[in-house]
Amino acid sequence: MGNPRCPVCGSNMVKNGKTKAGRTRFRCRCCGSSSVRKIDTSAKDLRTFLAWLLSRKRQSDMPGAGRTFRRKCAPFWDIWPMPPKIEEPRSVIYVDGIHLGRKAVVLIASDERHVLGWHLCRAENSRGWSALMQRIAAPEVVVSDGGDGFPKALRKTWPRAHHQRCIFHAFSQVKRYTTSKPRTQAGAELYGLAKALLGITTLKEAQGWAGAFLAWSERWDDFLSERTKTEEGRCVLAHERLVKARRSLARLINAGTLFTYLDPRLEHLAPLPATNNRIEGGTNAQLRAMLRDHRGLSIERRLKAIFWWCYMHSPSPLPAAEILRAMPTDGSIRAIYERLNQQDKLQGTIPQWGDAIVWSELHRSEPYRMDWD
């Protein structure tokens, strides 16, 4: 490691004794300024922080019983790891959302090996899904669990991609309405049909299942149409939960998303997945385990922990030093927000004081007011 350069004039510095603390002092021969070499350990500290976050270690297990670790790693909680832009198309992409409370959800997209993108929003809707998908090249097949707004976002952002609805979630939705021990014969038969979805492996079996479902609907149509009156006198369906279960399966059949994995046009991609177990078990389960191991984090830090995990499992994460230079922080985002919205915020807050002066009357480019008498 060579001698440092002068921070004043940029010339090479030479050793000039030591300080009281024993550190080597350097002096510039040109301008005479002196300084000591400052060793930047932020990249090393970031690697230590990530090693702790992605492991099951407790803070008390770190050097200094956690105090030194918290002091050195506190600045890294301000960083927001941003997802990369995926320009190489994938054959199959899995999408799902992990909820944190009632007002925060992180939408995640992944392939068989890596996390491809993530997006933070308040709820699953088409705008959030579109924001996630816009940075990822359109795949041939996308597998989802039926999140709200996803079909609309898919038609808008990836119009040529084929959609496979996770058959396990389709079965689970029916089970939620019928329970595993239905009390009616119609419910028992529908539960058996939904459970049979999990074992379909050929197109012929899929066609037979669809025929059996239509036959069940016709056979129990009068039963499902029965109505009853409530205590308030309203007329409602007597078997509303069974009707909802039937409707959930009929909607998937009509949309053509239940047996995409058996589509003959996609034989070149076979075998295609019928469920999104890859993202449920390979990503979401590990994220929940990480949050459970580091329980006690605030909602903001839990979100950033998810972002860090996703980024470190993306296709090509940057080295620690590059991350510190490239990724935005709370401070940089706040500065951009204040710079772009300063005028709007002032104009929005001043009128609440009453008869206030317009902002532009107090902020002019001329050095003096030219409209005074």
Side-chain angles (χ1 to χ4, degrees), residues 174-185 187-189 191:
V174 173
K175 181 181 178 181
R176 184 164 56 249
Y177 291 128
T178 64
T179 73
S180 59
K181 295 181 180 180
R183 295 184 178 182
T184 62
Q185 181 63 27
E189 292 180 8
Y191 176 76

Side-chain angles (χ1 to χ4, degrees), residues 195-217:
K195 193 173 183 180
L197 275 174
L198 305 177
I200 294 177
T201 57
T202 64
L203 186 60
K204 184 177 180 180
E205 292 176 354
Q207 294 171 349
W209 183 93
F213 174 76
L214 293 177
W216 177 90
S217 298

Side-chain angles (χ1 to χ4, degrees), residues 25 108 114 116 156 169 184 188 229 252 258 275 331 347:
R25 182 190 294 113
I108 302 175
H114 301 105
L116 304 180
K156 178 181 178 181
H169 282 84
T184 62
K229 286 188 176 181
L252 296 178
L258 197 57
T275 66
Q347 290 178 345

Side-chain angles (χ1 to χ4, degrees), residues 60-134:
S60 58
D61 298 332
M62 306 303 291
R67 294 184 179 182
T68 303
F69 171 78
R70 286 192 292 271
R71 174 177 55 82
K72 290 185 176 181
C73 298
F76 306 134
W77 284 116
D78 292 338
I79 300 176
W80 287 94
M82 292 291 103
K85 187 172 183 180
I86 306 299
E87 299 180 349
E88 182 180 354
R90 265 63 171 179
S91 299
V92 181
I93 287 181
Y94 307 83
V95 296
D96 196 11
I98 179 169
H99 291 258
L100 297 177
R102 297 182 178 180
K103 295 185 178 180
V105 56
V106 180
L107 307 179
I108 302 175
S110 71
D111 59 9
E112 292 290 343
R113 298 180 57 189
H114 301 105
V115 176
L116 304 180
W118 53 94
H119 178 74
L120 172 63
C121 53
R122 290 190 177 273
E124 294 188 37
N125 52 48
S126 59
R127 296 186 302 274
W129 286 115
S130 295
L132 170 70
M133 298 155 63
Q134 285 173 356

Side-chain angles (χ1 to χ4, degrees), residues 30-41:
C30 296
C31 64
S33 63
S34 62
S35 64
V36 296
R37 189 196 302 274
K38 295 182 179 180
I39 301 177
D40 186 6
T41 62

